[in-house]
Amino acid sequence: QVQLVESGGDLVQSGGSLRLSCAVHGRPIQFNNMGWYRQAPGKERDLVADIDSDGFGKYVDSVKGRFTISRDNAKNLLYLIMNNLKPEDTAVYYCNYWPNPFASWGQGTQVTVSS
């Protein structure tokens, strides 16, 4: 049973930065593509960024140049560095596998950006 534990969310002002972490328990992530997803109030959960097993990241257009996804396979951790945050980035952020998020969703971590 894979357990996903996200952390690092906070309330920040527009233009601020955060680093989110995702600890994956129960299965090594070394050979898997992973992703960060987010769900804003009243909206569906969508992919924000994904990273392949070689460490190459891809991003949705709205976060390109501001967010950086990375991974530490030895520690089974996934990270999302978010810079120049905007109010529209406000959401609950989740990690999971990509493209098939087969693990049970964790509780997520709330990111709130004030204008």
Side-chain angles (χ1 to χ4, degrees), residues 33-112:
N33 297 347
M34 302 295 297
W36 279 100
Y37 303 75
R38 67 185 178 187
Q39 186 169 22
K43 296 187 177 181
E44 294 186 351
R45 183 156 39 205
D46 293 320
L47 179 76
V48 174
D50 67 88
I51 185 168
D52 66 16
S53 57
D54 293 324
F56 181 77
K58 291 185 293 182
Y59 306 88
V60 296
D61 286 345
S62 61
V63 307
K64 279 181 181 177
R66 301 188 297 122
F67 289 13
T68 303
I69 188 172
S70 63
R71 61 195 296 160
D72 184 334
N73 291 333
K75 296 181 179 179
N76 241 37
L77 292 170
L78 187 69
Y79 300 105
L80 186 69
I81 296 174
M82 305 186 295
N83 295 320
N84 191 21
L85 282 160
K86 303 176 180 181
E88 52 263 42
D89 296 318
T90 294
V92 180
Y93 285 71
Y94 302 86
C95 62
N96 212 317
Y97 293 82
W98 169 259
N100 175 23
F102 63 83
S104 296
W105 294 96
Q107 82 287 350
T109 188
Q110 176 71 48
V111 172
T112 303

Side-chain angles (χ1 to χ4, degrees), residues 9-52:
D10 206 345
L11 169 63
V12 297
Q13 290 187 336
S14 182
S17 299
L18 286 173
R19 187 182 83 157
L20 306 184
S21 299
C22 167
V24 182
H25 303 280
R27 177 187 172 113
I29 66 169
Q30 182 177 358
F31 301 111
N32 292 105
N33 297 347
M34 302 295 297
W36 279 100
Y37 303 75
R38 67 185 178 187
Q39 186 169 22
K43 296 187 177 181
E44 294 186 351
R45 183 156 39 205
D46 293 320
L47 179 76
V48 174
D50 67 88
I51 185 168
D52 66 16

